[in-house]
Amino acid sequence: KAGVTQTPRYLIKTRGQQVTLSCSPISGHRSVSWYQQTPGQGLQFLFEYFSETQRNKGNFPGRFSGRQFSNSRSEMNVSTLELGDSALYLCASSLRLGTTEAFFGQGTRLTVV
Amino acid sequence: EDKVVQSPLSLVVHEGDTVTLNCSYEVTNFRSLLWYKQEKKAPTFLFMLTSSGIEKKSGRLSSILDKKELFSILNITATQTGDSAIYLCAVELRGTGTASKLTFGTGTRLQVTL
């Protein structure tokens, strides 16, 4: 069965722009979590969605937002991009709420210039 | 503040060696501890540990959790070059209701040389 699919794989944006990243979970998985990975901070939790509702949120500014659709696909949006937003953004899906045995996508590499 | 600390930060070993990776944590609302292997981009799931003292094994890899001392170890025996990767430890924290989130350590970069 298909894994977690993230698009696009790579993205270059300029400061001040906004960006939308997409994540399609494994078929049948209803929970989607988003993480930011940087060399200095490691993997940091952004938020988790289940049944189209945000269920948990990490310590990121309001510029980071997300949503989940009825088919469990999720999007993450970052507005007013800053250089420090350059990172690998990973999405993970799991069968039910909670990140137990979460399966990760390949990530979107965002570079802000 | 919830904290997950992995050691060593990086490690270079020869093929055939045995390695032990460490993960200690200080968190509230512990639910489970997970190990992932990250080779290029997508971390791949290795183990989930919820109970102290019960070893989980998968081939040459094994892991155990000590909930009293708040740490876990990941052992890899007879290492191979294909084991070269970043090994991530994550603690699952109980959130509101049944929600939870993973707090990751910064990882241990393992390089296995011939």
Side-chain angles (χ1 to χ4, degrees):
Chain A
K1 74 183 168 183
V4 179
T5 304
Q6 289 188 247
T7 57
R9 294 288 301 276
Y10 302 92
L11 208 48
I12 299 176
K13 290 284 190 178
T14 54
R15 273 184 301 175
Q17 285 187 309
Q18 74 160 20
V19 68
T20 299
L21 312 181
S22 179
C23 172
S24 294
I26 292 171
S27 177
H29 283 198
R30 296 173 61 196
S31 174
V32 173
S33 300
W34 288 90
Y35 295 83
Q36 180 196 66
Q37 187 174 32
T38 58
Q41 299 293 322
L43 261 160
Q44 292 186 288
F45 173 78
L46 281 155
F47 25 66
E48 178 179 23
Y49 285 87
F50 182 84
S51 291
E52 302 175 64
T53 303
Q54 187 180 92
R55 303 297 180 126
N56 211 344
K57 191 176 189 306
N59 299 321
F60 279 81
R63 300 185 297 107
F64 291 81
S65 63
R67 58 180 176 165
Q68 186 180 36
F69 302 95
S70 58
N71 61 359
S72 295
R73 190 177 72 83
S74 177
E75 286 182 348
M76 190 192 94
N77 187 77
V78 188
S79 62
T80 321
L81 284 165
E82 300 176 0
L83 295 179
D85 297 333
S86 296
L88 179 67
Y89 289 88
L90 289 162
C91 157
S93 81
S94 55
L95 199 56
R96 54 188 179 279
L97 193 64
T99 46
T100 302
E101 295 189 57
F103 295 86
F104 283 83
Q106 290 292 319
T108 294
R109 170 77 62 189
L110 172 65
T111 302
V112 182
V113 298
Chain B
E1 186 186 330
D2 299 316
K3 204 163 53 171
V4 178
V5 179
Q6 291 187 247
S7 64
L9 289 180
S10 66
L11 197 51
V12 181
V13 300
H14 293 296
E15 205 173 39
D17 287 349
T18 292
V19 298
T20 298
L21 310 183
N22 303 291
C23 175
S24 63
Y25 60 92
E26 286 179 40
V27 302
T28 52
N29 298 316
F30 175 91
R31 176 180 274 174
S32 66
L33 186 145
L34 298 92
W35 284 96
Y36 286 86
K37 177 183 181 183
Q38 187 175 27
E39 292 179 81
K40 288 185 181 164
K41 283 191 177 177
T44 53
F45 173 81
L46 294 174
F47 298 111
M48 183 181 72
L49 303 154
T50 53
S51 303
S52 271
I54 299 174
E55 187 183 49
K56 292 235 174 164
K57 276 184 77 77
S58 176
R60 297 176 294 102
L61 277 66
S62 63
S63 183
I64 197 160
L65 173 67
D66 185 327
K67 287 168 76 173
K68 185 181 172 190
E69 300 298 329
L70 309 183
F71 77 90
S72 173
I73 59 171
L74 175 68
N75 276 322
I76 309 175
T77 59
T79 51
Q80 302 171 357
T81 54
D83 295 327
S84 297
I86 297 172
Y87 289 84
L88 296 164
C89 169
V91 173
E92 184 184 12
L93 308 176
R94 205 181 304 274
T96 308
T98 51
S100 66
K101 68 174 187 180
L102 291 176
T103 296
F104 281 84
T106 50
T108 293
R109 183 180 293 275
L110 173 66
Q111 185 180 349
V112 181
T113 62
L114 290 171

